[in-house]
Amino acid sequence: MLGTFVIFHPAHQLTRIDSSWMHSVCAVFRINHAGAGKSPELRTLFFRLGNLLKLPLHAIFVFNGLDRLLDKGRKARNSPHWLTHDFQRMVELFGFQSTKALSEAEAELAAMNSHGVIDAVITEDSDILIFGAPYKDYLNIQLYTEDGLEHGASLTRGDRLLIALLMGGDYDGGVPGCSIEIAHKVALHSRISEAMLHAFLSMAPEDFSEHAKDLVKELYSLLAHDPHHFLQHRYKAVADHIPDDFPQRAVISKYVHPLTSFSATRKALSWDVSSCQPDLAALADFCRQQLGWDDSAIIEKMYGGVWEGTCLRTFCKVSSVLCVDSC
């Protein structure tokens, strides 16, 4: 996971990108990898970085920390993705910055956004919406804002949280058989989500557990019987598989109060958003060694994107340190 963007002066806005880029490029070349040439994943990432370099943005890529919770009942990855080292090196050579979150990159991005450090997040992972950050789908150019989600799509943060809990996410398996369509209808046509989030934020753990039992009864009735015909279908099989401990307060806490740089300290944090020029000589050497390109191929690829971006960054420089209260 990664990423951050800072829009250059005079606006001086920061837009962070969570990039599941490493995972997405690996999925593309899962079939016929041998026929795709040397390091096709890194080659794809090179072109993506080149496209970013041509935009008036300063990218700071944020990688997942290794201190992560269980992923849908399986042991979370306790070592970096195999592309991480080379990708971090390439990010550095392009003149961008990278950092590692304490835990989930998406949570770190959302925290930076809520504290005013950045203005938006570019990502392919919709989990960012559960943590409460504006979201841009980089590849499809779709923009989601908090206002648009709440008033346009009628999905409050509580609704999005309930959908994640029903479907299952990074922290648990959810309710077996509950699809996104079912979860969406439940969130839209009941007050369960807002009641659950309010109870979590206002009640002691033991009181929340008791209140959650009433919410689960309401959820079971809605799914199994659809008494008001809101769902237009009965989902008794799904209702029968609601886990006994649903919803888990600990799981809700990981979405509402995730571990981030801000939650881990009471001190003010400083963020250096100074931009750097690409190291063209070192980048060319990297392409020669890691991508197998000869000199003519390197010149062609540099001419196609890297040189244009280098000129832009010469004219649009960012050099500042932001101080942010962590509270």
Side-chain angles (χ1 to χ4, degrees), residues 246-258:
F246 183 88
Q248 296 182 49
R249 192 177 189 281
V251 174
I252 297 175
S253 181
K254 292 302 174 183
Y255 283 118
V256 179
H257 300 307

Side-chain angles (χ1 to χ4, degrees), residues 56-272:
L57 302 171
H58 173 55
I60 306 171
F61 291 85
V62 180
F63 292 79
N64 278 324
L66 297 182
D67 183 16
R68 302 178 65 195
L69 294 181
L70 297 182
D71 181 3
K72 295 186 177 181
R74 300 186 295 272
K75 187 175 180 59
R77 178 189 296 273
N78 58 5
S79 60
H81 189 281
W82 66 272
L83 276 174
T84 300
H85 176 75
D86 285 337
F87 188 34
Q88 285 178 323
R89 176 59 177 157
M90 192 155 55
V91 165
E92 176 186 351
L93 294 176
F94 267 89
F96 299 135
Q97 294 173 277
S98 69
T99 186
K100 186 171 71 173
L102 294 180
S103 184
E104 297 284 348
E106 299 96 335
E108 184 75 11
L109 298 174
M112 292 187 71
N113 178 254
S114 65
H115 283 82
V117 177
I118 59 177
D119 295 289
V121 177
I122 297 177
T123 180
E124 297 171 30
D125 192 338
S126 59
D127 277 359
I128 193 70
L129 300 177
I130 312 302
F131 291 111
Y135 159 54
K136 295 180 181 178
D137 182 324
Y138 172 67
L139 295 180
N140 296 317
I141 319 299
Q142 297 174 344
L143 172 64
Y144 300 85
T145 64
E146 186 69 24
D147 181 72
L149 287 167
E150 186 163 346
H151 299 105
S154 299
L155 286 175
T156 65
R157 189 180 181 191
D159 294 334
R160 302 193 300 269
L161 175 61
L162 179 60
I163 290 173
L165 294 172
L166 288 171
M167 290 186 58
D170 288 341
Y171 305 119
D172 75 336
V175 177
C178 188
S179 65
I180 180 62
E181 291 79 12
I182 298 173
H184 183 218
K185 287 193 286 187
V186 169
L188 282 181
H189 299 296
S190 74
R191 297 180 59 85
I192 297 173
S193 60
E194 291 307 305
M196 177 190 65
L197 182 57
H198 176 74
F200 172 82
L201 293 173
S202 62
M203 293 182 177
E206 57 273 11
D207 295 330
F208 173 82
S209 297
E210 288 301 313
H211 186 69
K213 294 178 182 178
D214 295 331
L215 293 178
V216 169
K217 290 179 182 179
E218 183 179 347
L219 175 62
Y220 182 91
S221 175
L222 180 63
L223 287 170
H225 307 297
D226 190 20
H228 304 292
H229 307 290
F230 289 144
L231 307 187
Q232 300 181 330
H233 190 84
R234 296 177 181 178
Y235 300 98
K236 191 173 186 304
V238 176
D240 288 339
H241 284 88
I242 298 175
D244 294 336
D245 57 355
F246 183 88
Q248 296 182 49
R249 192 177 189 281
V251 174
I252 297 175
S253 181
K254 292 302 174 183
Y255 283 118
V256 179
H257 300 307
L259 176 63
T260 69
S261 300
F262 298 89
S263 65
T265 181
R266 294 181 178 273
K267 300 178 180 179
L269 301 176
S270 62
W271 297 87
D272 183 358

